[in-house]
Amino acid sequence: ILAAEKFISGRYFIAAACDDLLADRTPPFFSLLKIFSRHHRPMVILRQITRREIPNYGCVAVSGVAKDVRQIHDIIEKPTTEKAPSSFGAIADYILPPDIFHWIRLAQKNLPKDKEVAITHVLKIYVRAGKPLLGWVFKGRHFDGGSKIGLAKASAYFGAHHKHLL
């Protein structure tokens, strides 16, 4: 994300995770942008996850804002099932504010040198500093493209539902 800073020019921007593939009747980016246009706050896509999936996601502590929108109060990256603040996991795409680069650098300073700075680490610092972060609860199909089985499922799904890909 830091590599994109010179292209952002002080505007909100979308950051997409390449290992999460989403499908819904309305393209998820369109839905996310529609919600953002109402709230004008940084956004994260959330998904209800199973107890077994919790250790694979950044889990969030949330409260309700609107039908499918939550205020995020904390994020724990890949917690144990017992330490998860909820069953909502952060997935896929984000709408981030232009000042996120400051928070990325702050996270880099506070993490050990051998640790990768994940966006969830950055957003944890961000919300703990009192900055607003909303989550949109995505209810469409989610495929974990970071696993072989998830990628195979996504290929089968998109191949079956989008004939022009055959």
Side-chain angles (χ1 to χ4, degrees):
I1 293 175
L2 273 178
E5 183 175 16
K6 65 183 175 184
F7 302 105
I8 300 306
S9 301
R11 294 174 287 194
Y12 278 83
F13 64 98
I14 294 176
C18 60
D19 59 350
D20 285 306
L21 303 165
L22 306 178
D24 207 356
R25 272 187 233 134
T26 302
F29 268 137
F30 292 164
S31 298
L32 185 64
L33 288 169
K34 185 177 178 182
I35 294 166
F36 173 77
S37 70
R38 282 197 307 259
H39 297 281
H40 290 282
R41 297 274 189 259
M43 308 265 327
V44 174
I45 296 181
L46 303 176
R47 180 174 73 84
Q48 190 86 43
I49 57 176
T50 65
R51 289 181 57 77
R52 200 174 103 234
E53 292 175 302
I54 285 173
N56 300 322
Y57 291 92
C59 293
V60 295
V62 295
S63 59
V65 170
K67 182 181 175 193
D68 289 332
V69 179
R70 304 289 181 270
Q71 177 71 43
I72 296 174
H73 304 287
D74 197 11
I75 300 175
I76 299 175
E77 177 65 10
K78 299 181 180 179
T80 62
T81 305
E82 298 76 31
K83 292 187 178 182
S86 75
S87 60
F88 285 110
I91 62 167
D93 307 316
Y94 309 85
I95 296 180
L96 299 172
D99 72 338
I100 200 67
F101 302 106
H102 161 76
W103 299 97
I104 292 171
R105 287 185 186 89
L106 190 60
Q108 285 177 323
K109 288 179 187 174
N110 292 325
L111 282 177
K113 295 276 186 232
D114 61 337
K115 277 272 223 182
E116 176 187 17
V117 176
I119 192 63
T120 50
H121 296 125
V122 175
L123 294 175
K124 178 184 199 65
I125 296 168
Y126 184 83
V127 296
R128 286 192 172 178
K131 297 288 195 168
L133 180 63
L134 298 179
W136 168 52
V137 181
F138 176 71
K139 294 185 178 164
R141 302 281 314 243
H142 169 255
F143 302 97
D144 179 3
S147 72
K148 290 177 186 175
I149 190 70
L151 196 52
K153 287 178 180 180
S155 296
Y157 176 85
F158 287 108
H161 289 85
H162 298 280
K163 302 298 182 202
H164 64 282
L165 295 177
L166 298 175

